[in-house]
């Protein structure tokens, strides 16, 4: 009997992704089923050694490349984020094209292609405009205007085509642009009740070959801490959820557990404090807790948003571009909302809610 897309997706979710971990012979590795107190069953798939190795290698390669781009800053970092916007947009419009029930009238192919192109150059425009907030707004409104005008010219336009296309531009263009703005923060741009990043062994001893101590601006430190907080959130949630998970966190993502979320939050806060010490981040205890908390919440929210999209599209992964991980969004969904949230926390919350005092 042939299953419908929603039925197939529910079956895939129930297996907790075990199908993706089949070995070369097609056999699926066994999974541990843990009864949950609310009547659910949390399935913990055992990842094959080969896939785990591939996943680790891919993660290391991406991590090193991303760090070098981050360290370089400027145009290199903007182009790196542009690449992310382009890939995420391609996968987003693939997902919307498969949402036959949620979106009976998905964006036409030409609208998807135009939007992908706009998302691919969005952050480059923001960088060339000096990272000003007005540039982000102008780029967003300009992209909205171009696509909306072209959609209206269709013989039979549908409102769902507008909403899906415009959200795609917001999701894959507007949001990633704040990673560029975050990286462009200078040490004097944020009033945090401290004089800067001096006095730290790691920063003061940074080799001249990699830019010397001067490379460690507020923007670089803030961006690196944020990225590592997201990594800690993902890894912590996975490890704690796999070992201690018993209570389901939310129905849309069956394998996420309350225990995993708690572990992810603890790891995120620990990473924020560790990086504060190692990089000489001029923030107090309460400010650091706030930074870790907002990074964690934004990371989880981004993960859940993509889970909703994949479920509606009947797809297990958003793509297959990253070996061992799946699509670009499967790996970087947690970063989509985090950049903008942390940026506004540092620029607007820390100087004003804490009255410029290190707490």
């Amino acid at each position: 009997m042939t299953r419908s897309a929603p039925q197939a997706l529910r079956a895939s979710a129930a297996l907790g992704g075990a199908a993706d971990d089949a070995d070369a012979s097609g056999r699926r590795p066994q999974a541990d089923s843990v009864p949950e107190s609310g009547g659910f069953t949390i399935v913990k798939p055992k990842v094959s050694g080969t896939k785990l190795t591939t996943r680790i290698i891919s993660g290391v390669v991406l991590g090193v490349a991303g760090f070098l781009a981050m360290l370089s800053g400027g145009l290199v970092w903007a182009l790196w984020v542009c690449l992310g916007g382009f890939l995420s947009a391609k996968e987003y419009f693939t997902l919307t094209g498969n949402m036959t029930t949620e979106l009976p009238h998905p964006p036409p192919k030409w609208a998807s292609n135009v939007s992908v192109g706009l998302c691919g150059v969005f952050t480059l425009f923001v960088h060339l405009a000096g990272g000003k907030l007005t540039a982000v707004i102008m780029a967003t409104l300009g992209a909205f205007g171009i696509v909306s005008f072209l959609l209206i010219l269709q013989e039979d336009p549908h409102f769902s085509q507008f909403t899906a296309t415009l959200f795609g531009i917001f999701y894959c263009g507007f949001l990633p642009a704040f990673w560029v703005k975050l990286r462009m923060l200078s040490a004097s741009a944020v009033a945090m009740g401290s004089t800067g990043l001096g006095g730290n062994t790691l920063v003061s001893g940074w080799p001249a070959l990699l830019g010397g101590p001067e490379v460690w601006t507020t923007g670089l430190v803030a961006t690196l801490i944020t990225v590592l907080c997201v990594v800690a959130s993902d890894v912590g949630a996975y490890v704690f959820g796999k070992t201690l998970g018993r209570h389901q966190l939310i129905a849309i993502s069956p394998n996420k557990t309350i225990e995993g979320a708690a572990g992810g939050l603890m790891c995120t806060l620990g990473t924020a404090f560790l990086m504060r010490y190692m990089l000489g981040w001029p923030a107090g205890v309460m400010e650091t807790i706030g930074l870790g908390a907002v990074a964690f919440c934004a990371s989880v929210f981004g993960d859940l948003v993509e889970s909703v999209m994949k479920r509606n599209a009947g797809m297990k992964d958003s793509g297959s571009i990253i070996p061992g991980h799946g699509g670009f969004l499967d790996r970087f969904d947690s970063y989509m909302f985090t950049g903008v949230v942390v940026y506004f926390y540092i620029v607007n919350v820390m100087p004003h809610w804490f009255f410029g005092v290190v707490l």
Side-chain angles (χ1 to χ4, degrees):
M1 181 177 65
T2 303
R3 289 176 174 158
S4 65
Q7 290 174 328
L9 178 63
R10 285 193 292 270
S12 176
L15 288 171
D20 282 350
D21 295 326
D23 60 20
S25 64
R27 296 190 298 272
R28 297 189 183 100
Q30 294 180 344
D32 297 328
S33 297
V34 180
E36 194 266 341
S37 59
F40 301 98
T41 298
I42 298 170
V43 181
K44 301 179 180 180
K46 294 180 178 178
V47 181
S48 67
T50 301
K51 182 173 182 179
L52 181 60
T53 301
T54 303
R55 183 177 297 177
I56 292 173
I57 293 173
S58 298
V60 170
V61 171
L62 284 172
V64 171
F67 175 72
L68 292 176
M70 187 193 311
L71 190 65
S72 300
L75 181 61
V76 175
W77 177 245
L79 291 174
W80 177 263
V81 179
C82 276
L83 177 62
F86 174 77
L87 294 175
S88 59
K90 284 195 68 174
E91 294 183 357
Y92 168 82
F93 284 102
T94 298
L95 289 169
T96 58
N98 284 279
M99 296 179 187
T100 53
T101 301
E102 299 291 328
L103 288 173
H105 301 288
K109 184 67 175 176
W110 64 262
S112 299
N113 291 336
V114 170
S115 300
V116 169
L118 289 172
C119 290
V121 299
F122 199 104
T123 53
L124 180 60
F125 172 79
V126 171
H127 166 75
L128 295 176
K132 295 180 174 61
L133 185 59
T134 52
V136 179
I137 296 173
M138 288 173 58
T140 305
L141 293 177
F144 280 9
I146 292 172
V147 177
S148 297
F149 177 74
L150 294 175
L151 285 171
I152 289 174
L153 294 180
Q154 288 188 118
E155 184 176 340
D156 186 26
H158 297 275
F159 185 68
S160 62
Q161 295 174 333
F162 286 85
T163 56
T165 303
L166 298 186
F167 179 76
I169 294 173
F170 167 80
Y171 184 65
C172 306
F174 177 83
L175 293 180
F178 280 87
W179 282 104
V180 173
K181 287 183 62 61
L182 184 64
R183 178 63 180 86
M184 293 179 74
L185 286 176
S186 64
S188 60
V190 185
M192 292 180 293
S194 184
T195 56
L197 303 170
N200 179 266
T201 304
L202 177 62
V203 173
S204 60
W206 193 252
L209 182 63
L210 297 177
E214 297 77 15
V215 77
W216 289 96
T217 62
T218 298
L220 176 56
V221 173
T223 305
L224 180 59
I225 291 177
T226 304
V227 168
L228 293 178
C229 279
V230 175
V231 173
S233 172
D234 287 346
V235 174
Y238 175 79
V239 172
F240 277 80
K242 187 174 180 62
T243 56
L244 302 175
R246 294 293 185 275
H247 303 85
Q248 190 181 61
L249 177 66
I250 190 168
I252 191 62
S253 191
N255 292 327
K256 285 185 173 56
T257 64
I258 294 175
E259 293 83 0
L265 177 59
M266 287 190 296
C267 291
T268 303
L269 294 176
T271 299
F273 275 99
L274 178 63
M275 291 299 103
R276 167 180 172 261
Y277 169 75
M278 291 183 64
L279 300 175
W281 175 248
V285 173
M286 295 303 298
E287 293 163 324
T288 305
I289 290 175
L291 176 64
V294 298
F296 171 77
C297 292
S299 170
V300 172
F301 181 72
D303 192 354
L304 293 177
V305 167
E306 200 224 357
S307 293
V308 172
M309 291 192 291
K310 289 194 295 185
R311 171 164 289 200
N312 289 165
M315 297 172 64
K316 181 65 177 65
D317 295 318
S318 63
S320 58
I321 193 171
I322 305 177
H325 293 272
F328 180 86
L329 284 175
D330 293 319
R331 178 61 275 164
F332 290 97
D333 53 357
S334 301
Y335 295 82
M336 300 303 286
F337 291 91
T338 312
V340 62
V341 170
V342 170
Y343 173 83
F344 281 111
Y345 174 78
I346 292 175
V347 173
N348 296 105
V349 176
M350 288 179 66
H352 303 296
W353 287 21
F354 293 98
F355 305 104
V357 178
V358 179
L359 299 175

